[in-house]
Amino acid sequence: MAIFPQGFLWGAGTYAYQVEGAAFEDGKGESIWDRFCSQPGTILNGDTGLVACDHYHRYREDIQLMKELGLQSYVFSIAWPRVLPQGRGEVNARGLDFYERLVDGLLEAGIEPFATLYNWDLPQALEDQLGGWLNRATAYAFAEYTDVVTRRLGDRVRRWLTLNEPAVTAFDSYESGEHAPGHRNPREAWHTTHHYLLGHGLAVPIIRANGHADTQVGITLNFTAIHPNSPSPEDREAAHFLDGKYHRWFLDPIFRGEYPADVAARLGDYMPDVQPGDLDIISSPLDYLGANYYTRSVVGASPDGSRAIDNFAYFKQEQSAHTTMNWEVYPSGIYEHLTRLHREYHIPNIYVIENGAAFEDTVTSDGHVHDSRRQHYLREHLLQAHQALSEGVPLRGYSVWALLDNFEWSLGYSRRFGITHVNYETQQRTLKDSGLWYRDVIKNNEVK
Ligand code: FCB
């Protein structure tokens, strides 16, 4: 049993491209994800975000659903090309109107909007004209976009997140090529990391300037428990490096104003071009950190010692439970990261912005989804988060990924993360057992 503190903020989330649909409606411009999905072979089953959960048209119904759940906050993202179809310059008023309607609807329902400015759907025009995040000019375009959005919504949205998971978008988009724009070039990936971070840093004072005294700003980073495959020095070094690559490379510039020297030393010409003053911009003080956590990665050195290898395949098959993402269920990893963020980075306020699991779900003939594994996953992770809280970690809230089943990037609609089931043929929403359970957690402020 775990009772959470008074005022602990319970939420759930979705992001624009994954749920909105209406990909070309009301003046929205093309995003790199629209383009990527239109290229054969990029997305499982040829799925696209053209319709997704049709949230653009059904947001009222979805707010109703949030009310039924008793949600206190809703994490969502704003689609940059809906607001600025060409990425810069002309504003699409109808795009901004949509987010205003969404925010007003949330506020009327007593749900705190937690707005993320960027979850990976860069305007295609900036990709074409500037080379997207490979060009530092895109960081400045992001700042302009931030200004446009926060001028309009800064009077009522009090909680902002600049970017979601810059590490994931840098390395999946430019190294593994699984995400738009699908490049496979590690040097490019490292270069973009700095531009994402610069964009974040430039946005922070703009959000504050367009807000109120109580406006709060942060960024969301993703954390994986990275453990060595064996106690050998090579495997431990591999784990240390990957922790550097995926975590410290982002935490250190933001919270310490410097890139981690041990990682930088290994980069050679992969090292991004850091200009004087950039790190001051990037380390602009934040009100909180958004932390996402899903799984553990067991890593080691390649046989010749030259590379760190992620996620040993055999480990996935042989040990513990896995989700349909093939992600290991490893609840104590959330505790490990929350306590580490507190201990090593002294972050004043932390929100878990995403945590959740994909499992195969079926709707029974009487309209239920008995997703006991998801419920178990959420419960175990919340108990670990509570343990961190009880040891003094300033955890202020928790948001489930996701409110709805949705478009899971290159895996399309094949992976369901929702606490609400979505029938993509009819767009019918059905609260899963995990959602009903979460409703009680929120109501009682307690995990039993
Ligand atoms: C995170 C993303 C989110 C969702 C979950 C499963 O990395 O931020 O959009 O796809 O994974």
Side-chain angles (χ1 to χ4, degrees):
M1 202 174 77
I3 299 173
F4 284 73
Q6 278 294 322
F8 191 81
L9 195 69
W10 295 100
T14 67
Y15 292 124
Y17 192 75
Q18 297 178 278
V19 296
E20 284 179 2
F24 295 103
E25 248 178 84
D26 289 344
K28 177 181 164 288
E30 187 186 21
S31 78
I32 56 173
W33 272 94
D34 293 311
R35 177 69 61 92
F36 194 58
C37 291
S38 73
Q39 291 159 357
T42 52
I43 313 293
L44 190 65
N45 303 321
D47 288 342
T48 74
L50 281 172
V51 177
C53 305
D54 197 30
H55 178 69
Y56 187 78
H57 298 115
R58 293 169 194 263
Y59 69 94
R60 284 192 192 84
E61 181 191 330
D62 291 336
I63 292 174
Q64 200 46 44
L65 186 69
M66 297 177 214
K67 271 178 89 172
E68 274 169 47
L69 280 163
L71 288 195
Q72 297 161 351
S73 74
Y74 176 52
V75 171
F76 65 100
S77 75
I78 293 169
W80 183 347
R82 219 181 262 298
V83 175
L84 292 160
Q86 295 302 309
R88 295 175 290 190
E90 204 180 321
V91 176
N92 176 36
R94 287 176 296 170
L96 272 179
D97 291 347
F98 167 68
Y99 294 108
E100 190 170 70
R101 290 196 299 274
L102 174 66
V103 164
D104 288 348
L106 290 167
L107 292 172
E108 268 164 40
I111 299 165
E112 174 102 44
F114 222 132
T116 297
L117 284 157
Y118 186 72
N119 191 44
W120 314 348
D121 45 358
L122 185 76
Q124 180 66 37
L126 296 183
E127 188 66 25
D128 296 341
Q129 292 160 18
L130 302 177
W133 289 104
L134 285 168
N135 188 337
R136 75 183 261 133
T138 294
Y140 289 86
F142 178 70
E144 284 171 44
Y145 152 68
T146 298
D147 187 43
V148 170
V149 172
T150 55
R151 269 176 199 272
R152 180 74 173 268
L153 298 177
D155 62 339
R156 51 206 110 161
V157 175
R158 305 298 168 105
R159 290 171 204 262
W160 294 92
L161 293 157
T162 54
L163 309 177
N164 182 50
E165 299 186 349
V168 175
T169 187
F171 293 109
D172 286 7
S173 303
Y174 293 92
E175 188 179 57
S176 77
E178 279 167 50
H179 285 185
H183 295 197
R184 290 194 166 83
N185 180 335
R187 179 172 181 274
E188 287 187 356
W190 286 98
H191 278 253
T192 65
T193 61
H194 185 62
H195 298 152
Y196 288 114
L197 286 167
L198 183 62
H200 154 77
L202 290 167
V204 171
I206 296 172
I207 298 169
R208 292 201 199 289
N210 290 334
H212 290 270
D214 61 350
T215 293
Q216 300 189 355
V217 191
I219 184 171
T220 305
L221 303 179
N222 184 41
F223 298 96
T224 298
I226 296 180
H227 292 171
N229 183 46
S230 81
S232 75
E234 294 79 13
D235 285 354
R236 288 161 67 113
E237 174 50 29
H240 184 66
F241 173 69
L242 289 181
D243 175 62
K245 173 179 175 180
Y246 293 115
H247 304 141
R248 291 181 289 117
W249 189 256
F250 298 86
L251 286 166
D252 287 19
I254 294 170
F255 293 104
R256 296 180 176 161
E258 60 191 17
Y259 281 111
D262 64 303
V263 180
R266 287 178 59 156
L267 293 188
D269 78 336
Y270 289 7
M271 183 67 199
D273 175 23
V274 180
Q275 297 191 6
D278 284 0
L279 284 158
D280 292 336
I281 294 171
I282 293 170
S283 58
S284 174
L286 298 180
D287 299 293
Y288 45 67
L289 174 69
N292 297 349
Y293 176 80
Y294 288 96
T295 187
R296 167 164 81 150
S297 179
V298 177
V299 307
S302 60
D304 67 357
S306 67
R307 285 181 305 124
I309 302 182
D310 229 338
N311 270 328
F312 278 83
Y314 75 83
F315 187 87
K316 297 187 161 199
Q317 283 146 27
E318 287 177 9
Q319 316 213 1
S320 53
H322 291 84
T323 70
T324 53
M325 297 296 282
N326 210 11
W327 292 350
E328 184 193 2
V329 178
Y330 189 74
S332 63
I334 197 168
Y335 166 85
E336 186 180 308
H337 274 294
L338 291 172
T339 49
R340 180 231 191 144
L341 291 169
H342 178 50
R343 195 175 54 241
E344 293 179 18
Y345 292 90
H346 314 292
I347 294 169
N349 298 294
I350 303 174
Y351 289 85
V352 170
I353 290 294
E354 290 178 37
N355 175 236
F359 290 110
E360 266 163 35
D361 299 312
T362 40
V363 185
T364 58
S365 53
D366 57 348
H368 291 279
V369 180
H370 299 306
D371 60 336
S372 54
R373 284 179 300 179
R374 182 175 294 101
Q375 183 176 320
H376 182 254
Y377 177 102
L378 296 176
R379 179 175 186 275
E380 294 299 305
H381 285 76
L382 276 167
L383 291 176
Q384 291 287 334
H386 187 268
Q387 181 60 33
L389 247 173
S390 67
E391 293 175 22
V393 172
L395 181 65
R396 311 295 183 206
Y398 172 94
S399 188
V400 175
W401 181 263
L403 174 68
L404 304 171
D405 290 337
N406 62 69
F407 178 79
E408 179 47 34
W409 308 112
S410 57
L411 296 170
Y413 297 100
S414 68
R415 302 297 192 277
R416 293 180 176 273
F417 274 93
I419 53 172
T420 309
H421 182 274
V422 176
N423 176 327
Y424 295 111
E425 305 283 306
T426 61
Q427 291 296 345
Q428 186 175 350
R429 276 76 162 134
T430 306
L431 267 181
K432 301 180 190 176
D433 285 359
S434 59
L436 296 167
W437 172 84
Y438 191 52
R439 184 183 64 185
D440 289 343
V441 168
I442 298 174
K443 191 163 86 202
N444 302 321
N445 209 25
E446 179 179 10
V447 174
K448 292 199 175 106

